[in-house]
Amino acid sequence: MFSFRNQLEIAWCPGCGNFNLLTALSEALVELGLKPSQVVLVSGIGQAAKAPHYIQANVFNGLHGRSIPVAFGIQSVNPELTVIAESGDGCMYGEGGNHLIHAIRRNPNITVIVHDNQVYGLTKGQASPTSEAGFVSKTQPLGTVSESFHPLALAVSQNASFVARGFAGDKEELKSIFKQAIQWKGFSLVDVLQPCVTFNRINTFGWYKSRVYSLPEDYDPEDQVGAFKISLEWGDKIPTGIIYRHSKPIFSDLVFEKLGRKEFLNPTRNYQSIFEDEKHGFE
């Protein structure tokens, strides 16, 4: 069977949660029957952002926090592609937080995967947006005083199309979540609890394994109020699975409807000719 994994040497610490995440994503792409030419992975900066380097597919590795707008642009120009933006919690929720908010609002047909280890790993352990208050690091030796960011609560409250959480210690459930997110028509956010074994000695695999639980089969992911309550559950019990799911129009479909065409860019034309047409429309 074809594997999306390539043979490059992986530059992550032994035991890093990124390994299981990478395997789950690679297997999900295979099981969905996708080919490397059909997939684009976009990442920013950080240890998590190295994941596309180890996958055989189209890759764009760009600026810190800017993977979402690049993914949005790629998918808009070629809607046939499966476009996945992935990076760490610092990259997506810190530097890229503004892009996350507006992607939720616009609902482009992309999947966003966040390696959430509650710390900046590449730059040696600063507190990230999802670090718990009191988290001690080299740059916050007395403990961070900021409250932690709740990405899923934000996404549910803003009526995001698809919101989920996985755990790198449960590869099979994580793979199932990835497959559902990638197949979803619209914006999908998957927050992955991915322990950093070097710079976060609090939120370890053991810490998570004693707390995470899969949402029961009778849980209704289409109930926004119920999903918001679940999204805030954190501490002794941490839910995983599809937190919220809400079908709504995709950004490109709405724009196509207004433009009266089915594509942003006709293969037989170039950007300049389209620009000229649009300009005449306003004259």
Side-chain angles (χ1 to χ4, degrees), residues 153-188:
L154 170 77
V156 174
S157 72
Q158 296 305 303
N159 204 29
S161 187
F162 182 103
V163 183
R165 175 189 285 132
F167 171 44
D170 187 343
K171 192 197 73 174
E172 291 305 313
E173 184 190 55
L174 184 59
K175 180 169 62 176
S176 172
I177 292 171
F178 282 160
K179 289 166 68 176
Q180 293 178 71
I182 292 168
Q183 289 181 303
W184 184 257
K185 297 300 181 185
F187 178 83
S188 55

PDB file of all heavy atoms in Angstrom, residues 153-188:
ATOM      1  N   ALA A 153     -13.799  26.492  22.590  1.00  0.00           N
ATOM      2  CA  ALA A 153     -14.909  27.341  23.047  1.00  0.00           C
ATOM      3  C   ALA A 153     -15.088  28.531  22.112  1.00  0.00           C
ATOM      4  O   ALA A 153     -16.215  28.918  21.779  1.00  0.00           O
ATOM      5  CB  ALA A 153     -14.648  27.811  24.477  1.00  0.00           C
ATOM      6  N   LEU A 154     -13.970  29.108  21.684  1.00  0.00           N
ATOM      7  CA  LEU A 154     -14.043  30.222  20.724  1.00  0.00           C
ATOM      8  C   LEU A 154     -14.706  29.755  19.433  1.00  0.00           C
ATOM      9  O   LEU A 154     -15.625  30.404  18.914  1.00  0.00           O
ATOM     10  CB  LEU A 154     -12.645  30.747  20.408  1.00  0.00           C
ATOM     11  CG  LEU A 154     -12.612  31.741  19.241  1.00  0.00           C
ATOM     12  CD1 LEU A 154     -13.116  33.112  19.688  1.00  0.00           C
ATOM     13  CD2 LEU A 154     -11.219  31.859  18.636  1.00  0.00           C
ATOM     14  N   ALA A 155     -14.242  28.625  18.903  1.00  0.00           N
ATOM     15  CA  ALA A 155     -14.751  28.144  17.616  1.00  0.00           C
ATOM     16  C   ALA A 155     -16.239  27.813  17.684  1.00  0.00           C
ATOM     17  O   ALA A 155     -17.000  28.160  16.783  1.00  0.00           O
ATOM     18  CB  ALA A 155     -13.951  26.916  17.172  1.00  0.00           C
ATOM     19  N   VAL A 156     -16.661  27.169  18.754  1.00  0.00           N
ATOM     20  CA  VAL A 156     -18.082  26.829  18.888  1.00  0.00           C
ATOM     21  C   VAL A 156     -18.915  28.088  19.057  1.00  0.00           C
ATOM     22  O   VAL A 156     -19.977  28.233  18.437  1.00  0.00           O
ATOM     23  CB  VAL A 156     -18.301  25.869  20.079  1.00  0.00           C
ATOM     24  CG1 VAL A 156     -19.802  25.641  20.308  1.00  0.00           C
ATOM     25  CG2 VAL A 156     -17.594  24.537  19.846  1.00  0.00           C
ATOM     26  N   SER A 157     -18.436  29.005  19.869  1.00  0.00           N
ATOM     27  CA  SER A 157     -19.209  30.240  20.107  1.00  0.00           C
ATOM     28  C   SER A 157     -19.380  31.045  18.828  1.00  0.00           C
ATOM     29  O   SER A 157     -20.375  31.756  18.669  1.00  0.00           O
ATOM     30  CB  SER A 157     -18.524  31.094  21.177  1.00  0.00           C
ATOM     31  OG  SER A 157     -17.340  31.684  20.663  1.00  0.00           O
ATOM     32  N   GLN A 158     -18.423  30.921  17.896  1.00  0.00           N
ATOM     33  CA  GLN A 158     -18.493  31.668  16.633  1.00  0.00           C
ATOM     34  C   GLN A 158     -19.130  30.852  15.518  1.00  0.00           C
ATOM     35  O   GLN A 158     -19.046  31.194  14.343  1.00  0.00           O
ATOM     36  CB  GLN A 158     -17.088  32.119  16.219  1.00  0.00           C
ATOM     37  CG  GLN A 158     -16.465  33.107  17.196  1.00  0.00           C
ATOM     38  CD  GLN A 158     -17.364  34.316  17.423  1.00  0.00           C
ATOM     39  OE1 GLN A 158     -17.720  35.009  16.489  1.00  0.00           O
ATOM     40  NE2 GLN A 158     -17.733  34.552  18.682  1.00  0.00           N
ATOM     41  N   ASN A 159     -19.756  29.732  15.908  1.00  0.00           N
ATOM     42  CA  ASN A 159     -20.512  28.911  14.956  1.00  0.00           C
ATOM     43  C   ASN A 159     -19.634  28.338  13.847  1.00  0.00           C
ATOM     44  O   ASN A 159     -20.012  28.291  12.671  1.00  0.00           O
ATOM     45  CB  ASN A 159     -21.658  29.710  14.335  1.00  0.00           C
ATOM     46  CG  ASN A 159     -22.778  28.830  13.824  1.00  0.00           C
ATOM     47  OD1 ASN A 159     -23.004  27.734  14.339  1.00  0.00           O
ATOM     48  ND2 ASN A 159     -23.475  29.281  12.799  1.00  0.00           N
ATOM     49  N   ALA A 160     -18.414  27.917  14.228  1.00  0.00           N
ATOM     50  CA  ALA A 160     -17.522  27.266  13.266  1.00  0.00           C
ATOM     51  C   ALA A 160     -18.199  26.031  12.697  1.00  0.00           C
ATOM     52  O   ALA A 160     -19.038  25.403  13.332  1.00  0.00           O
ATOM     53  CB  ALA A 160     -16.209  26.890  13.942  1.00  0.00           C
ATOM     54  N   SER A 161     -17.814  25.678  11.490  1.00  0.00           N
ATOM     55  CA  SER A 161     -18.495  24.601  10.781  1.00  0.00           C
ATOM     56  C   SER A 161     -18.244  23.225  11.403  1.00  0.00           C
ATOM     57  O   SER A 161     -19.146  22.405  11.515  1.00  0.00           O
ATOM     58  CB  SER A 161     -18.026  24.620   9.320  1.00  0.00           C
ATOM     59  OG  SER A 161     -18.745  23.724   8.545  1.00  0.00           O
ATOM     60  N   PHE A 162     -17.002  22.979  11.815  1.00  0.00           N
ATOM     61  CA  PHE A 162     -16.631  21.647  12.335  1.00  0.00           C
ATOM     62  C   PHE A 162     -15.528  21.849  13.373  1.00  0.00           C
ATOM     63  O   PHE A 162     -14.487  22.437  13.064  1.00  0.00           O
ATOM     64  CB  PHE A 162     -16.130  20.771  11.187  1.00  0.00           C
ATOM     65  CG  PHE A 162     -15.759  19.356  11.542  1.00  0.00           C
ATOM     66  CD1 PHE A 162     -16.611  18.299  11.232  1.00  0.00           C
ATOM     67  CD2 PHE A 162     -14.554  19.066  12.171  1.00  0.00           C
ATOM     68  CE1 PHE A 162     -16.269  16.982  11.538  1.00  0.00           C
ATOM     69  CE2 PHE A 162     -14.208  17.758  12.476  1.00  0.00           C
ATOM     70  CZ  PHE A 162     -15.057  16.712  12.158  1.00  0.00           C
ATOM     71  N   VAL A 163     -15.761  21.362  14.586  1.00  0.00           N
ATOM     72  CA  VAL A 163     -14.810  21.566  15.681  1.00  0.00           C
ATOM     73  C   VAL A 163     -14.579  20.235  16.379  1.00  0.00           C
ATOM     74  O   VAL A 163     -15.535  19.551  16.772  1.00  0.00           O
ATOM     75  CB  VAL A 163     -15.351  22.588  16.707  1.00  0.00           C
ATOM     76  CG1 VAL A 163     -14.320  22.839  17.807  1.00  0.00           C
ATOM     77  CG2 VAL A 163     -15.746  23.891  16.023  1.00  0.00           C
ATOM     78  N   ALA A 164     -13.313  19.854  16.531  1.00  0.00           N
ATOM     79  CA  ALA A 164     -13.019  18.549  17.139  1.00  0.00           C
ATOM     80  C   ALA A 164     -11.739  18.628  17.964  1.00  0.00           C
ATOM     81  O   ALA A 164     -10.922  19.536  17.802  1.00  0.00           O
ATOM     82  CB  ALA A 164     -12.881  17.483  16.053  1.00  0.00           C
ATOM     83  N   ARG A 165     -11.601  17.643  18.860  1.00  0.00           N
ATOM     84  CA  ARG A 165     -10.352  17.504  19.620  1.00  0.00           C
ATOM     85  C   ARG A 165      -9.919  16.043  19.571  1.00  0.00           C
ATOM     86  O   ARG A 165     -10.743  15.131  19.734  1.00  0.00           O
ATOM     87  CB  ARG A 165     -10.541  17.930  21.066  1.00  0.00           C
ATOM     88  CG  ARG A 165      -9.279  17.690  21.924  1.00  0.00           C
ATOM     89  CD  ARG A 165      -9.498  17.892  23.400  1.00  0.00           C
ATOM     90  NE  ARG A 165      -9.591  19.285  23.765  1.00  0.00           N
ATOM     91  CZ  ARG A 165     -10.545  19.795  24.539  1.00  0.00           C
ATOM     92  NH1 ARG A 165     -11.519  19.018  24.973  1.00  0.00           N
ATOM     93  NH2 ARG A 165     -10.549  21.072  24.870  1.00  0.00           N
ATOM     94  N   GLY A 166      -8.627  15.826  19.340  1.00  0.00           N
ATOM     95  CA  GLY A 166      -8.048  14.491  19.394  1.00  0.00           C
ATOM     96  C   GLY A 166      -6.897  14.468  20.377  1.00  0.00           C
ATOM     97  O   GLY A 166      -6.468  15.499  20.890  1.00  0.00           O
ATOM     98  N   PHE A 167      -6.396  13.271  20.630  1.00  0.00           N
ATOM     99  CA  PHE A 167      -5.277  13.084  21.561  1.00  0.00           C
ATOM    100  C   PHE A 167      -4.223  12.234  20.863  1.00  0.00           C
ATOM    101  O   PHE A 167      -4.536  11.171  20.320  1.00  0.00           O
ATOM    102  CB  PHE A 167      -5.780  12.406  22.841  1.00  0.00           C
ATOM    103  CG  PHE A 167      -4.699  11.969  23.788  1.00  0.00           C
ATOM    104  CD1 PHE A 167      -3.623  12.802  24.079  1.00  0.00           C
ATOM    105  CD2 PHE A 167      -4.763  10.722  24.405  1.00  0.00           C
ATOM    106  CE1 PHE A 167      -2.621  12.397  24.960  1.00  0.00           C
ATOM    107  CE2 PHE A 167      -3.773  10.310  25.293  1.00  0.00           C
ATOM    108  CZ  PHE A 167      -2.700  11.154  25.561  1.00  0.00           C
ATOM    109  N   ALA A 168      -2.985  12.700  20.878  1.00  0.00           N
ATOM    110  CA  ALA A 168      -1.920  11.969  20.193  1.00  0.00           C
ATOM    111  C   ALA A 168      -1.674  10.592  20.810  1.00  0.00           C
ATOM    112  O   ALA A 168      -1.060   9.735  20.174  1.00  0.00           O
ATOM    113  CB  ALA A 168      -0.625  12.790  20.222  1.00  0.00           C
ATOM    114  N   GLY A 169      -2.159  10.367  22.024  1.00  0.00           N
ATOM    115  CA  GLY A 169      -2.010   9.055  22.663  1.00  0.00           C
ATOM    116  C   GLY A 169      -3.062   8.059  22.226  1.00  0.00           C
ATOM    117  O   GLY A 169      -3.018   6.898  22.669  1.00  0.00           O
ATOM    118  N   ASP A 170      -3.996   8.461  21.392  1.00  0.00           N
ATOM    119  CA  ASP A 170      -5.025   7.556  20.860  1.00  0.00           C
ATOM    120  C   ASP A 170      -5.039   7.726  19.343  1.00  0.00           C
ATOM    121  O   ASP A 170      -5.849   8.472  18.789  1.00  0.00           O
ATOM    122  CB  ASP A 170      -6.397   7.887  21.458  1.00  0.00           C
ATOM    123  CG  ASP A 170      -7.465   6.874  21.060  1.00  0.00           C
ATOM    124  OD1 ASP A 170      -7.251   6.117  20.090  1.00  0.00           O
ATOM    125  OD2 ASP A 170      -8.517   6.836  21.726  1.00  0.00           O
ATOM    126  N   LYS A 171      -4.126   7.010  18.688  1.00  0.00           N
ATOM    127  CA  LYS A 171      -3.932   7.206  17.248  1.00  0.00           C
ATOM    128  C   LYS A 171      -5.167   6.848  16.429  1.00  0.00           C
ATOM    129  O   LYS A 171      -5.483   7.524  15.460  1.00  0.00           O
ATOM    130  CB  LYS A 171      -2.744   6.363  16.761  1.00  0.00           C
ATOM    131  CG  LYS A 171      -2.285   6.704  15.366  1.00  0.00           C
ATOM    132  CD  LYS A 171      -1.417   5.620  14.760  1.00  0.00           C
ATOM    133  CE  LYS A 171      -2.249   4.404  14.375  1.00  0.00           C
ATOM    134  NZ  LYS A 171      -1.492   3.379  13.646  1.00  0.00           N
ATOM    135  N   GLU A 172      -5.874   5.790  16.808  1.00  0.00           N
ATOM    136  CA  GLU A 172      -7.013   5.345  15.999  1.00  0.00           C
ATOM    137  C   GLU A 172      -8.153   6.361  16.046  1.00  0.00           C
ATOM    138  O   GLU A 172      -8.760   6.658  15.015  1.00  0.00           O
ATOM    139  CB  GLU A 172      -7.489   3.969  16.475  1.00  0.00           C
ATOM    140  CG  GLU A 172      -6.497   2.851  16.163  1.00  0.00           C
ATOM    141  CD  GLU A 172      -6.141   2.791  14.664  1.00  0.00           C
ATOM    142  OE1 GLU A 172      -7.059   2.841  13.832  1.00  0.00           O
ATOM    143  OE2 GLU A 172      -4.933   2.705  14.357  1.00  0.00           O
ATOM    144  N   GLU A 173      -8.442   6.877  17.229  1.00  0.00           N
ATOM    145  CA  GLU A 173      -9.499   7.896  17.299  1.00  0.00           C
ATOM    146  C   GLU A 173      -9.063   9.159  16.556  1.00  0.00           C
ATOM    147  O   GLU A 173      -9.854   9.789  15.856  1.00  0.00           O
ATOM    148  CB  GLU A 173      -9.842   8.244  18.748  1.00  0.00           C
ATOM    149  CG  GLU A 173     -11.007   9.245  18.807  1.00  0.00           C
ATOM    150  CD  GLU A 173     -11.263   9.821  20.182  1.00  0.00           C
ATOM    151  OE1 GLU A 173     -10.311  10.371  20.770  1.00  0.00           O
ATOM    152  OE2 GLU A 173     -12.400   9.720  20.650  1.00  0.00           O
ATOM    153  N   LEU A 174      -7.788   9.507  16.711  1.00  0.00           N
ATOM    154  CA  LEU A 174      -7.274  10.702  16.040  1.00  0.00           C
ATOM    155  C   LEU A 174      -7.389  10.559  14.524  1.00  0.00           C
ATOM    156  O   LEU A 174      -7.793  11.495  13.823  1.00  0.00           O
ATOM    157  CB  LEU A 174      -5.821  10.933  16.453  1.00  0.00           C
ATOM    158  CG  LEU A 174      -5.149  12.199  15.920  1.00  0.00           C
ATOM    159  CD1 LEU A 174      -5.911  13.451  16.354  1.00  0.00           C
ATOM    160  CD2 LEU A 174      -3.698  12.266  16.407  1.00  0.00           C
ATOM    161  N   LYS A 175      -7.050   9.390  14.020  1.00  0.00           N
ATOM    162  CA  LYS A 175      -7.161   9.152  12.574  1.00  0.00           C
ATOM    163  C   LYS A 175      -8.612   9.284  12.114  1.00  0.00           C
ATOM    164  O   LYS A 175      -8.888   9.876  11.066  1.00  0.00           O
ATOM    165  CB  LYS A 175      -6.603   7.763  12.236  1.00  0.00           C
ATOM    166  CG  LYS A 175      -6.682   7.430  10.757  1.00  0.00           C
ATOM    167  CD  LYS A 175      -5.882   6.178  10.422  1.00  0.00           C
ATOM    168  CE  LYS A 175      -6.404   4.948  11.132  1.00  0.00           C
ATOM    169  NZ  LYS A 175      -5.695   3.725  10.736  1.00  0.00           N
ATOM    170  N   SER A 176      -9.531   8.734  12.884  1.00  0.00           N
ATOM    171  CA  SER A 176     -10.948   8.831  12.541  1.00  0.00           C
ATOM    172  C   SER A 176     -11.393  10.297  12.505  1.00  0.00           C
ATOM    173  O   SER A 176     -12.133  10.713  11.599  1.00  0.00           O
ATOM    174  CB  SER A 176     -11.778   8.054  13.567  1.00  0.00           C
ATOM    175  OG  SER A 176     -13.161   8.279  13.353  1.00  0.00           O
ATOM    176  N   ILE A 177     -10.941  11.080  13.471  1.00  0.00           N
ATOM    177  CA  ILE A 177     -11.300  12.502  13.492  1.00  0.00           C
ATOM    178  C   ILE A 177     -10.718  13.221  12.278  1.00  0.00           C
ATOM    179  O   ILE A 177     -11.394  14.029  11.629  1.00  0.00           O
ATOM    180  CB  ILE A 177     -10.798  13.149  14.801  1.00  0.00           C
ATOM    181  CG1 ILE A 177     -11.570  12.590  16.000  1.00  0.00           C
ATOM    182  CG2 ILE A 177     -10.925  14.669  14.747  1.00  0.00           C
ATOM    183  CD1 ILE A 177     -11.001  13.003  17.341  1.00  0.00           C
ATOM    184  N   PHE A 178      -9.464  12.922  11.956  1.00  0.00           N
ATOM    185  CA  PHE A 178      -8.839  13.550  10.782  1.00  0.00           C
ATOM    186  C   PHE A 178      -9.642  13.240   9.513  1.00  0.00           C
ATOM    187  O   PHE A 178      -9.877  14.122   8.679  1.00  0.00           O
ATOM    188  CB  PHE A 178      -7.408  13.046  10.606  1.00  0.00           C
ATOM    189  CG  PHE A 178      -6.402  13.668  11.542  1.00  0.00           C
ATOM    190  CD1 PHE A 178      -5.190  13.036  11.798  1.00  0.00           C
ATOM    191  CD2 PHE A 178      -6.652  14.884  12.152  1.00  0.00           C
ATOM    192  CE1 PHE A 178      -4.261  13.604  12.646  1.00  0.00           C
ATOM    193  CE2 PHE A 178      -5.725  15.452  13.014  1.00  0.00           C
ATOM    194  CZ  PHE A 178      -4.526  14.816  13.254  1.00  0.00           C
ATOM    195  N   LYS A 179     -10.055  11.997   9.357  1.00  0.00           N
ATOM    196  CA  LYS A 179     -10.783  11.614   8.147  1.00  0.00           C
ATOM    197  C   LYS A 179     -12.111  12.371   8.039  1.00  0.00           C
ATOM    198  O   LYS A 179     -12.481  12.850   6.968  1.00  0.00           O
ATOM    199  CB  LYS A 179     -11.022  10.098   8.141  1.00  0.00           C
ATOM    200  CG  LYS A 179      -9.734   9.301   7.912  1.00  0.00           C
ATOM    201  CD  LYS A 179      -9.885   7.828   8.240  1.00  0.00           C
ATOM    202  CE  LYS A 179     -10.804   7.100   7.298  1.00  0.00           C
ATOM    203  NZ  LYS A 179     -10.832   5.646   7.613  1.00  0.00           N
ATOM    204  N   GLN A 180     -12.800  12.493   9.158  1.00  0.00           N
ATOM    205  CA  GLN A 180     -14.072  13.221   9.142  1.00  0.00           C
ATOM    206  C   GLN A 180     -13.852  14.712   8.867  1.00  0.00           C
ATOM    207  O   GLN A 180     -14.624  15.346   8.144  1.00  0.00           O
ATOM    208  CB  GLN A 180     -14.789  13.039  10.479  1.00  0.00           C
ATOM    209  CG  GLN A 180     -15.252  11.608  10.727  1.00  0.00           C
ATOM    210  CD  GLN A 180     -15.907  11.450  12.082  1.00  0.00           C
ATOM    211  OE1 GLN A 180     -17.007  11.930  12.296  1.00  0.00           O
ATOM    212  NE2 GLN A 180     -15.234  10.769  13.008  1.00  0.00           N
ATOM    213  N   ALA A 181     -12.794  15.266   9.446  1.00  0.00           N
ATOM    214  CA  ALA A 181     -12.505  16.690   9.242  1.00  0.00           C
ATOM    215  C   ALA A 181     -12.134  16.979   7.795  1.00  0.00           C
ATOM    216  O   ALA A 181     -12.586  17.969   7.203  1.00  0.00           O
ATOM    217  CB  ALA A 181     -11.389  17.124  10.174  1.00  0.00           C
ATOM    218  N   ILE A 182     -11.313  16.127   7.203  1.00  0.00           N
ATOM    219  CA  ILE A 182     -10.871  16.338   5.822  1.00  0.00           C
ATOM    220  C   ILE A 182     -12.044  16.187   4.849  1.00  0.00           C
ATOM    221  O   ILE A 182     -12.134  16.901   3.847  1.00  0.00           O
ATOM    222  CB  ILE A 182      -9.736  15.348   5.488  1.00  0.00           C
ATOM    223  CG1 ILE A 182      -8.480  15.706   6.293  1.00  0.00           C
ATOM    224  CG2 ILE A 182      -9.418  15.354   3.996  1.00  0.00           C
ATOM    225  CD1 ILE A 182      -7.396  14.649   6.267  1.00  0.00           C
ATOM    226  N   GLN A 183     -12.945  15.268   5.144  1.00  0.00           N
ATOM    227  CA  GLN A 183     -14.099  15.050   4.268  1.00  0.00           C
ATOM    228  C   GLN A 183     -15.178  16.114   4.442  1.00  0.00           C
ATOM    229  O   GLN A 183     -16.061  16.245   3.585  1.00  0.00           O
ATOM    230  CB  GLN A 183     -14.700  13.672   4.537  1.00  0.00           C
ATOM    231  CG  GLN A 183     -13.830  12.515   4.044  1.00  0.00           C
ATOM    232  CD  GLN A 183     -14.482  11.170   4.313  1.00  0.00           C
ATOM    233  OE1 GLN A 183     -14.806  10.847   5.448  1.00  0.00           O
ATOM    234  NE2 GLN A 183     -14.691  10.406   3.270  1.00  0.00           N
ATOM    235  N   TRP A 184     -15.118  16.854   5.533  1.00  0.00           N
ATOM    236  CA  TRP A 184     -16.139  17.863   5.813  1.00  0.00           C
ATOM    237  C   TRP A 184     -16.094  18.988   4.782  1.00  0.00           C
ATOM    238  O   TRP A 184     -15.023  19.461   4.419  1.00  0.00           O
ATOM    239  CB  TRP A 184     -15.924  18.433   7.209  1.00  0.00           C
ATOM    240  CG  TRP A 184     -16.980  19.411   7.617  1.00  0.00           C
ATOM    241  CD1 TRP A 184     -16.883  20.770   7.643  1.00  0.00           C
ATOM    242  CD2 TRP A 184     -18.308  19.093   8.046  1.00  0.00           C
ATOM    243  NE1 TRP A 184     -18.068  21.325   8.063  1.00  0.00           N
ATOM    244  CE2 TRP A 184     -18.961  20.322   8.316  1.00  0.00           C
ATOM    245  CE3 TRP A 184     -19.016  17.908   8.220  1.00  0.00           C
ATOM    246  CZ2 TRP A 184     -20.282  20.382   8.761  1.00  0.00           C
ATOM    247  CZ3 TRP A 184     -20.322  17.969   8.662  1.00  0.00           C
ATOM    248  CH2 TRP A 184     -20.941  19.188   8.920  1.00  0.00           C
ATOM    249  N   LYS A 185     -17.261  19.403   4.310  1.00  0.00           N
ATOM    250  CA  LYS A 185     -17.341  20.508   3.358  1.00  0.00           C
ATOM    251  C   LYS A 185     -17.440  21.821   4.128  1.00  0.00           C
ATOM    252  O   LYS A 185     -18.505  22.194   4.610  1.00  0.00           O
ATOM    253  CB  LYS A 185     -18.545  20.336   2.431  1.00  0.00           C
ATOM    254  CG  LYS A 185     -18.485  19.087   1.563  1.00  0.00           C
ATOM    255  CD  LYS A 185     -17.250  19.089   0.656  1.00  0.00           C
ATOM    256  CE  LYS A 185     -17.224  17.858  -0.222  1.00  0.00           C
ATOM    257  NZ  LYS A 185     -15.958  17.784  -1.027  1.00  0.00           N
ATOM    258  N   GLY A 186     -16.325  22.501   4.245  1.00  0.00           N
ATOM    259  CA  GLY A 186     -16.272  23.742   4.987  1.00  0.00           C
ATOM    260  C   GLY A 186     -15.057  23.769   5.900  1.00  0.00           C
ATOM    261  O   GLY A 186     -14.179  22.905   5.820  1.00  0.00           O
ATOM    262  N   PHE A 187     -15.011  24.747   6.760  1.00  0.00           N
ATOM    263  CA  PHE A 187     -13.872  24.919   7.656  1.00  0.00           C
ATOM    264  C   PHE A 187     -13.933  23.906   8.800  1.00  0.00           C
ATOM    265  O   PHE A 187     -14.954  23.785   9.483  1.00  0.00           O
ATOM    266  CB  PHE A 187     -13.883  26.331   8.239  1.00  0.00           C
ATOM    267  CG  PHE A 187     -12.779  26.597   9.210  1.00  0.00           C
ATOM    268  CD1 PHE A 187     -11.529  26.966   8.757  1.00  0.00           C
ATOM    269  CD2 PHE A 187     -12.998  26.470  10.577  1.00  0.00           C
ATOM    270  CE1 PHE A 187     -10.497  27.211   9.663  1.00  0.00           C
ATOM    271  CE2 PHE A 187     -11.981  26.719  11.475  1.00  0.00           C
ATOM    272  CZ  PHE A 187     -10.729  27.084  11.016  1.00  0.00           C
ATOM    273  N   SER A 188     -12.855  23.164   8.978  1.00  0.00           N
ATOM    274  CA  SER A 188     -12.802  22.209  10.092  1.00  0.00           C
ATOM    275  C   SER A 188     -11.555  22.470  10.924  1.00  0.00           C
ATOM    276  O   SER A 188     -10.464  22.662  10.395  1.00  0.00           O
ATOM    277  CB  SER A 188     -12.825  20.758   9.585  1.00  0.00           C
ATOM    278  OG  SER A 188     -11.792  20.530   8.645  1.00  0.00           O
TER     279      SER A 188
END
